[in-house]
């Protein structure tokens, strides 16, 4: 979501290195149109998967939609071409060689608004480089973090779960 009036953009996970906010909004609209249309069940059945691992404007059909969804909902690290490192889920510094946090990829597109994101609890609260990353792992026993939007953004935190969620940490 891009809200120029509030002065922020929001995305669940990340953006492809070459995507401006205008391009990202167009890509999101493509997926939204499919989800609102007659083919939504097919999209929901086929949207999960690690291929393609990178965005390309040459993609079409389900591969195009899956690539958009993967970028916006699963991205943490990627290479300079935008290939997602799906298995890299730790904090910066733990990723494979040649992979970068999506917001630090060399040569990435300029984004004209700050981006509010979540999805990456091992990153923790991160505010810099035009990014407000707010996932502080409340489901795993960390804090629940919110951002009060305005001219002077303000972080608000409360305790998360008293008992961390069972199972492996998959976020």
């Amino acid at each position: 979501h891009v809200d120029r009036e509030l002065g922020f953009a929001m995305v669940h996970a990340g953006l492809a290195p070459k995507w401006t906010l205008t391009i990202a909004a167009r890509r999101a609209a493509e997926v939204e149109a499919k989800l609102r249309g007659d083919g939504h069940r097919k999209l929901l059945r086929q949207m999960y998967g690690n291929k393609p691992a990178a965005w390309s404007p040459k993609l079409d059909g389900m591969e195009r939609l899956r690539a958009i969804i993967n970028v916006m909902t699963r991205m943490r690290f990627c290479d300079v071409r935008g290939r997602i490192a799906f298995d890299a889920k730790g904090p910066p510094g733990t990723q494979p060689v040649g992979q970068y946090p999506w917001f630090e990829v060399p040569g990435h597109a300029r984004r004209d608004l700050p981006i509010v994101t979540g999805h990456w609890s091992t990153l923790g609260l991160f505010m810099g480089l035009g990014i407000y990353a707010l996932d502080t792992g409340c489901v795993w026993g960390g804090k629940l973090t919110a951002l009060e939007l305005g001219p002077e953004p303000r972080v608000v935190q409360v305790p998360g779960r008293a008992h961390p969620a069972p199972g492996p940490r998959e976020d």
Side-chain angles (χ1 to χ4, degrees):
H1 175 72
V2 177
D3 191 321
R4 296 203 180 275
E5 187 175 315
L6 284 176
F8 286 88
M10 295 181 188
V11 64
H12 177 78
L15 297 178
K18 301 300 181 192
W19 288 3
T20 63
L21 294 179
T22 300
I23 290 170
R26 283 190 206 134
R27 299 295 167 259
E30 288 181 51
V31 173
E32 180 182 357
K34 282 293 187 187
L35 287 171
R36 290 177 181 266
D38 292 338
H40 68 280
R41 284 186 172 82
K42 180 179 177 185
L43 173 58
L44 291 172
R45 279 192 310 271
Q46 296 182 18
M47 69 184 224
Y48 296 105
N50 292 353
K51 292 182 181 178
W55 166 255
S56 168
K58 296 177 183 177
L59 292 171
D60 63 1
M62 192 56 62
E63 283 193 336
R64 181 180 180 91
L65 297 170
R66 189 179 306 117
I68 294 167
I69 291 167
N70 280 342
V71 165
M72 293 186 165
T73 66
R74 298 179 66 198
M75 172 123 25
R76 292 179 188 91
F77 297 106
C78 66
D79 65 18
V80 294
R81 291 184 11 234
R83 182 167 303 282
I84 300 171
F86 289 109
D87 294 330
K89 298 180 181 184
T94 64
Q95 74 269 28
V97 173
Q99 298 285 326
Y100 302 87
W102 66 269
F103 50 83
E104 290 183 348
V105 173
H108 68 77
R110 184 181 173 288
R111 288 143 188 163
D112 57 341
L113 294 174
I115 299 171
V116 179
T117 186
H119 177 67
W120 193 357
S121 68
T122 58
L123 176 63
L125 179 62
F126 177 86
M127 298 186 308
L129 306 173
I131 303 296
Y132 291 90
L134 304 180
D135 188 341
T136 48
C138 71
V139 73
W140 308 110
K143 295 178 180 176
L144 175 63
T145 301
L147 183 66
E148 185 178 312
L149 301 174
E152 296 292 324
R154 185 175 76 93
V155 172
V156 178
Q157 293 184 313
V158 297
R161 289 178 68 119
H163 304 286
R169 191 169 177 161
E170 288 290 329
D171 63 335

